[in-house]
Amino acid sequence: MKNIITICLLAMAPLQLWPQLAGFSLQSPNQEMVEDAITGGMVIVEQAYQLEDTVSHQLFGRYGNNEFGQSYSVAVKVPGGLLVQDCTARPWEYDPNFDRYRESHRPALYTTRYRELTDSAMTTLAGDIRGAEPSAPGLYMVTDSTTFGGNGFMADCATGDECDGWLAWVVSPQPIDSCGSQSTQPSVSYTIYRHKLALSPDSSEYTVKTPQVTGEVWGGIYIVPRQTGIGQITFTLCGVMMQGEEGTWKIAIPKRRNEEIKEAPKGDELTPTGSSKDDKDEKNKKKNKK
């Protein structure tokens, strides 16, 4: 009722007062606290790719451009890198223009650029998307310890957790691919609300309802408050929003650091020891004679 009364009062306010009321927020104090906590934690990533002729190995762009196509998506900063979506790791799979070239050409990742939600220009990402490691179904970790100074959300959700957190959605009146041609700061806002989630050992992604908003939903995150000290609360990353089929959304649960898959030792699996079975048999014979 309070919100309804407030809206009515705003509607009746004289026009000359609207500039002063423009900063008025209908969010609760908790929602405002969450927005403050996540500000700067997400970026827009533009991933371009080219086509390579499988016979001549010539690289091609499209219509005079160096790139054949590109994708745009929300990525999340984590310590030591960036969590990106499948459309960043494999942009051609989301580009219908690639279909007619599948038999004669193969895709080749080109430039990776990012834009802060508060910035007006794209910047080249230092991390190499080609070395991205799977973190969850449709979610990849791009190692990059320089671009963001190692800052980001700490992933902290484990199987069996009963999470009582917040869904934070990035919303804009424009489609996300407008960031490629736009030279001004994108117009974005956050839609934030509580959400409980029980993590199961049999699943690493969970369907979630699309928020009822005016405009385009670009993506988002699921964060959970944890007490990390006396008088200290830290919002940890429990999930990343990824778009599913027919406009649906799901929460993908990224791996924690101690759950990362260790790389296999490099080199040949079978390593000569410097001796053979015959050598051992000969040594055993000498021992028996003694």
Side-chain angles (χ1 to χ4, degrees):
M1 179 63 73
K2 184 185 295 184
N3 286 346
I4 295 175
I5 294 174
T6 303
I7 293 172
C8 292
L9 290 174
L10 285 173
M12 293 186 295
L15 291 178
Q16 60 267 29
L17 291 181
W18 274 98
Q20 299 170 337
L21 298 172
F24 186 84
S25 174
L26 296 179
Q27 288 185 327
S28 70
N30 284 339
Q31 289 171 314
E32 292 178 353
M33 178 179 63
V34 172
E35 181 171 335
D36 289 340
I38 66 175
T39 297
M42 289 178 278
V43 297
I44 304 303
V45 171
E46 174 199 74
Q47 179 59 57
Y49 77 98
Q50 299 174 319
L51 293 188
E52 180 185 358
D53 189 294
T54 55
V55 177
S56 67
H57 302 294
Q58 173 69 44
L59 292 171
F60 294 91
R62 187 165 183 259
Y63 291 135
N65 298 312
N66 288 330
E67 66 278 355
F68 181 83
Q70 59 271 108
S71 69
Y72 296 87
S73 60
V74 173
V76 184
K77 297 178 186 177
V78 291
L82 200 62
L83 285 175
V84 302
Q85 301 185 35
D86 189 58
C87 61
T88 299
R90 304 185 305 156
W92 52 88
E93 295 296 345
Y94 300 82
D95 185 0
N97 294 314
F98 174 64
D99 290 341
R100 59 184 178 273
Y101 295 100
R102 285 183 183 274
E103 301 300 323
S104 58
H105 295 72
R106 58 179 165 231
L109 290 170
Y110 187 43
T111 56
T112 307
R113 303 193 301 166
Y114 75 95
R115 170 187 281 193
E116 299 279 358
L117 295 179
T118 55
D119 204 348
S120 59
M122 287 284 186
T123 305
T124 300
L125 187 71
D128 189 355
I129 190 69
R130 296 170 183 82
E133 294 287 340
S135 180
L139 198 63
Y140 298 83
M141 168 70 172
V142 179
T143 301
D144 186 343
S145 59
T146 60
T147 301
F148 308 110
N151 295 319
F153 294 102
M154 183 69 71
D156 186 26
C157 276
T159 297
D161 276 1
E162 292 284 339
C163 298
D164 187 2
W166 296 84
L167 288 173
W169 302 87
V170 181
V171 180
S172 175
Q174 301 168 317
I176 192 170
D177 56 12
S178 65
C179 290
S181 57
Q182 202 176 54
S183 58
T184 58
Q185 179 180 329
S187 175
V188 298
S189 60
Y190 295 102
T191 295
I192 300 169
Y193 55 87
R194 294 284 292 270
H195 184 77
K196 291 186 178 183
L197 183 64
L199 298 184
S200 166
D202 301 323
S203 181
S204 57
E205 57 183 24
Y206 303 83
T207 302
V208 63
K209 290 183 179 180
T210 305
Q212 299 298 312
V213 296
T214 301
E216 301 277 342
V217 178
W218 285 6
I221 54 177
Y222 179 52
I223 56 173
V224 177
R226 309 281 192 188
Q227 183 173 357
T228 53
I230 298 176
Q232 180 179 344
I233 298 293
T234 300
F235 287 95
T236 59
L237 181 69
C238 187
V240 177
M241 305 302 151
M242 297 197 304
Q243 195 162 16
E245 298 179 356
E246 300 179 357
T248 61
W249 288 86
K250 56 187 177 182
I251 304 174
I253 310 300
K255 295 176 182 176
R256 296 185 300 177
R257 282 191 168 185
N258 59 355
E259 294 175 329
E260 292 177 355
I261 299 174
K262 295 182 179 180
E263 293 185 7
K266 300 185 182 301
D268 294 334
E269 181 178 359
L270 298 179
T271 307
T273 61
S275 61
S276 64
K277 182 176 182 298
D278 292 338
D279 294 335
K280 291 183 178 180
D281 290 342
E282 188 64 29
K283 289 180 180 179
N284 289 334
K285 289 179 182 179
K286 291 181 179 180
K287 288 181 180 180
N288 291 334
K289 287 182 182 180
K290 292 180 180 180

